[in-house]
Amino acid sequence: MATVSMLGMVLGVASLITVLSIMNGFAAELRDRILALVPHGFVVAAEGRIEGWPQLAEALALQPGVVAVAPYLTDKVILSGHGTLRGASLTAIDVQRQAAVSGVNEAMQSGTLTDLQQPFSVVLGTGLARGLGVAPGDTLDVTLPSLTVTPLGTFPRSKRLRVVGLFAVNAQPDGYQAYVSLETGQRLFGAGEGVDGIQLRTVDLMQAPRQLAALQQSLAPGLLARDWTQTQGSLFRAVKMEKIMVGLLLLSVVAVAAFNIVSTLVMAVAEKRGDIAVLRTMGARAGGIMAIFLAHGLGLACTGIGVGAALGVVLASHIARITATLEQWLGVKLFDPSVYFISELPARLQWQDVAAVIAASLLLSLLASVYPAWRASRIAPAEVLRYE
């Protein structure tokens, strides 16, 4: 019974550490790919568009912690190609400045951002291009959420664009994001010389919320500073919540193993009733008897937790290699790159997760050991020895 309890603890702790590491890996992949296109922060107007943006961009570039700036315009549009319609987010960018604030230039699969300098040209995500059935060199129609008044009536504003490039980050933006040059965007959106905002890149992505909050204090009235957590934060909060819930569910496996210790200690107490009574008659205190059985239970638990933690760290560190070996042995592909955005199981071991799992397991084991140990300390020697 003691061995089974210990093995249950080993499996519970190892599986919890491994799964938490895999979820950390998925979150890191998601963050790196999605945020490759998202600047660290934005400065936007509370109402309308920003006029005279070059002066504002120069002032923002001099702020502490700001590495690069770039203007942008964006709106939701409908793209049509080969009889297929797709909703998209069309962003107009400064071709020369954009590479400094986002990783779209490194994500280009065909063409370059400089090709957008051609009038009325567009760069599409690979998923969006696949849905529209277009490739570089093809044309498509864009319909904007604004109206054009003509002598024949009122019609949605539309324009024909030529595809000059494709990008891929292997994440959701591939299916809805499109880019045009700032000049083309200003003509499409009828924005004149104005822009929707200024994109910012800071020294550290994780410190961007704090830096943007400090930047807000120096902005003129009517301007707002926003960081990436306000535009993409809900997605990563959902991932974090999912990790917490999965961790709690798997912790129940550890709890079952911990409370198996109750059975082990109860059986040990029943078997050693005579020995306990003799010790008590020889002067052993109730606290000493309780400490003996607590040490017994925690000894089993610590052995299982130690072995499980070591096994979990090894599995988390080599999970990609292990899954690749299984794929080779079984002749199957667990993650087909044509279906999933990943080709292997990602994992990122975080030592704070390991420490949290060990601490929670020790706490559960301690709680499981208290009651049987207390029952052992309450055994009355006279009642037991009467029948010996």
Side-chain angles (χ1 to χ4, degrees), residues 206-256:
M206 294 305 162
Q207 296 299 320
R210 182 180 58 82
Q211 293 176 349
L212 268 292
L215 178 62
Q216 178 66 63
Q217 307 301 320
S218 63
L219 292 178
L223 295 177
L224 302 175
R226 296 178 178 173
D227 60 82
W228 66 271
T229 62
Q230 294 172 280
T231 58
Q232 306 291 330
S234 58
L235 175 62
F236 295 99
R237 284 192 294 270
V239 172
K240 184 178 180 180
M241 180 60 67
E242 185 178 1
K243 175 185 174 182
I244 293 173
M245 295 307 298
V246 170
L248 290 176
L249 289 174
L250 287 177
L251 192 61
S252 64
V253 178
V254 179
V256 170

Side-chain angles (χ1 to χ4, degrees), residues 14-32 235-251 315-316 319 335 342 344-350 353:
S15 62
L16 186 51
I17 291 175
T18 304
V19 170
L20 290 180
S21 299
I22 291 173
M23 297 198 70
N24 290 335
F26 274 114
E29 287 285 327
L30 191 65
R31 182 180 64 247
D32 294 343
L235 175 62
F236 295 99
R237 284 192 294 270
V239 172
K240 184 178 180 180
M241 180 60 67
E242 185 178 1
K243 175 185 174 182
I244 293 173
M245 295 307 298
V246 170
L248 290 176
L249 289 174
L250 287 177
L251 192 61
L315 286 175
I319 192 66
F335 296 98
I342 59 174
E344 62 181 19
L345 197 62
R348 181 169 295 187
L349 182 65
Q350 294 184 356
D353 288 341

Side-chain angles (χ1 to χ4, degrees), residues 63-214:
Q63 294 294 322
V66 177
V67 176
V69 298
Y72 75 97
L73 282 163
T74 187
D75 209 341
K76 301 292 190 251
V77 300
I78 297 176
L79 300 179
S80 60
H82 299 293
T84 303
L85 300 178
R86 287 287 187 276
S89 177
L90 184 64
T91 302
I93 57 175
D94 186 312
V95 175
Q96 303 300 325
R97 298 172 181 250
Q98 188 66 26
V101 298
S102 76
V104 62
N105 205 38
E106 291 77 12
M108 294 297 296
Q109 300 290 302
S110 174
T112 63
L113 284 184
T114 55
D115 294 332
L116 288 177
Q117 293 177 337
Q118 304 172 36
F120 297 105
S121 57
V122 63
V123 166
L124 304 176
T126 52
L128 182 57
R130 191 182 309 115
L132 293 169
V134 297
D138 294 340
T139 59
L140 53 79
D141 294 322
V142 57
T143 303
L144 297 102
S146 57
L147 299 177
T148 300
V149 180
T150 70
L152 299 177
T154 303
F155 300 95
R157 179 179 295 176
S158 63
K159 186 68 178 178
R160 179 156 294 184
L161 304 177
R162 189 166 67 88
V163 180
V164 294
L166 303 176
F167 70 86
V169 292
N170 294 324
Q172 289 87 342
D174 293 349
Y176 65 79
Q177 186 64 57
Y179 291 102
V180 296
S181 67
L182 186 62
E183 294 76 13
T184 297
Q186 287 174 333
R187 296 175 65 179
L188 287 174
F189 298 130
E193 296 299 320
V195 296
D196 286 338
I198 306 295
Q199 305 172 81
L200 307 177
R201 185 178 184 88
T202 60
V203 175
D204 186 359
L205 172 69
M206 294 305 162
Q207 296 299 320
R210 182 180 58 82
Q211 293 176 349
L212 268 292

Side-chain angles (χ1 to χ4, degrees), residues 7 15 56 59-60 62 107 125-126 130 136 175 187 191 199 205 278 298 309 350 357-358 366-367 382 388:
L7 289 177
S15 62
L56 176 61
L60 292 173
L62 298 177
T126 52
R130 191 182 309 115
R187 296 175 65 179
Q199 305 172 81
L205 172 69
V278 171
L298 289 177
Q350 294 184 356
V357 170
I358 292 175
L366 177 62
L367 294 176
E388 292 291 333

